[in-house]
Amino acid sequence: MTVSGTVSTTVFQTRKVIDHAFRRCRMVPEQITSEMIDTAKDNLYLMLSSLANQGFPLWCIQKDILPLYLGQPDIPTPNGTVDILNANYRWLFRQNGVAQYSSAGGIVTYAFDGNLSTSCAQTAANGNIYVDYGSSSSDGTIVTTVGVMMATSGSFNIKFEGSNDLLTWTEVIAPGATTYVANRWQWYDVDVASTWKYFRMRETGGGTLNVVEFYIGNNPTEIPLARLNRDDYTNLPNKYFAGRPLQYWFDRQRDIPIMNIWPVTDQGSMFGQFIIWRQRYIMDVGTLTETLDVPQRWYEAIVWQLSWRLCQELPDVQPQYLTYIKATADEALALAQAEERDNSPIYFAPNISPYTK
């Protein structure tokens, strides 16, 4: 007896999800029109969106780095944010090395001076800016986080690379083509922190770099932020008091939820970041040849739930199937939700001080 030898490699496209949902409604392919396909896609979108109201799917928990700006009280969250589960304020130790170099002109020290009104404007495309950590020491430095602020907006394909001999460069971070907005931070964490004698950012997409700040940091330190409710935030007497941010009120706006922070960022914390773990919506349905943003363990529930929704909208579905499909769909959803857990231990620390004082 032979087996496939593979696990979780089957591609279950959106088209298959819709096809099986129609079949469970006892509809044959000849009955299915393009309008019905659009109806099925719409129902998939509504159903996947509604899962955000039934707890949070574990695969939709995502870590993001939110930049801070001097005196800004409100921080927009990434598109599709449902809620913030954890939020920390983080600061780093900047590593500017013993010297900095630019391969394509410009005043390179402007990219490391901490002054957001100056920039290193290169004069040729596909240049690089690198830092020397090895001239006076054989140890180099560990790089855990990289930040870039551009002076001009545009699409750049920057690679961050490390070297120990200035000859062989190892790719550390490769975000791909990214739109950088002038005077706005773009932060990246290194997946595996390593020690380098030289570290650089290199444009590979034909653009000409004009860099306000090239921030290379390590030794990150994080402290949790306290979450306020609306009443506590609105009752703050001075919402523009400056200091290290310690608290936030999460304003769940319709399109882009906002983190209203307090205190607002001062000069000493403008190179800090918020590290948030957020719940996001499941990705959009997309085309029929793509796959849904759901794990393998959820497909059975998704197909049955879609079948139930189609039963309520398509006039050709026989009424005698409705009760059976509804019951089976509910059972499949309950099984999927029951397994949506990470099996980590839970600790309860009740506060009984009001009863012991």
Side-chain angles (χ1 to χ4, degrees), residues 93 95 133 139-145 190 192-197 199 216-220:
F93 290 89
Q95 305 297 313
Y133 297 116
D139 295 333
T141 192
I142 296 176
V143 177
T144 61
T145 304
V190 177
V192 180
S194 300
T195 300
W196 304 104
K197 294 183 179 180
F199 196 83
I216 304 169
N218 61 21
N219 293 327

Side-chain angles (χ1 to χ4, degrees), residues 12-27 32 299-300 302-304 306-307 310:
F12 207 77
Q13 297 174 332
T14 302
R15 174 185 57 81
K16 290 185 178 180
V17 173
I18 292 176
D19 286 347
H20 283 284
F22 277 120
R23 290 191 184 98
R24 294 179 189 190
C25 293
R26 301 299 190 271
M27 296 189 66
I32 302 171
Y299 268 107
E300 182 70 10
I302 295 298
V303 171
W304 276 114
L306 177 59
S307 178
L310 292 176

Side-chain angles (χ1 to χ4, degrees), residues 83-155:
D83 198 5
I84 294 177
L85 308 178
N86 304 94
N88 291 344
Y89 170 76
R90 179 172 75 178
W91 67 91
L92 304 161
F93 290 89
R94 191 169 191 177
Q95 305 297 313
N96 284 343
V98 296
Q100 304 95 31
Y101 301 92
S102 171
S103 69
I107 303 176
V108 69
T109 55
Y110 284 171
F112 299 91
D113 60 1
N115 186 344
L116 303 186
S117 63
T118 63
S119 67
C120 174
Q122 294 190 336
T123 57
N126 289 335
N128 68 77
I129 296 174
Y130 76 91
V131 183
D132 178 359
Y133 297 116
S135 296
S136 61
S137 172
S138 60
D139 295 333
T141 192
I142 296 176
V143 177
T144 61
T145 304
V146 176
V148 175
M149 178 182 284
M150 293 292 191
T152 55
S153 300
S155 179

Side-chain angles (χ1 to χ4, degrees), residues 28-49:
V28 297
E30 292 78 11
Q31 296 176 276
I32 302 171
T33 65
S34 59
E35 182 180 357
M36 292 179 180
I37 297 293
D38 290 338
T39 299
K41 291 178 64 177
D42 290 344
N43 275 277
L44 262 178
Y45 169 77
L46 294 173
M47 177 179 58
L48 296 179
S49 297

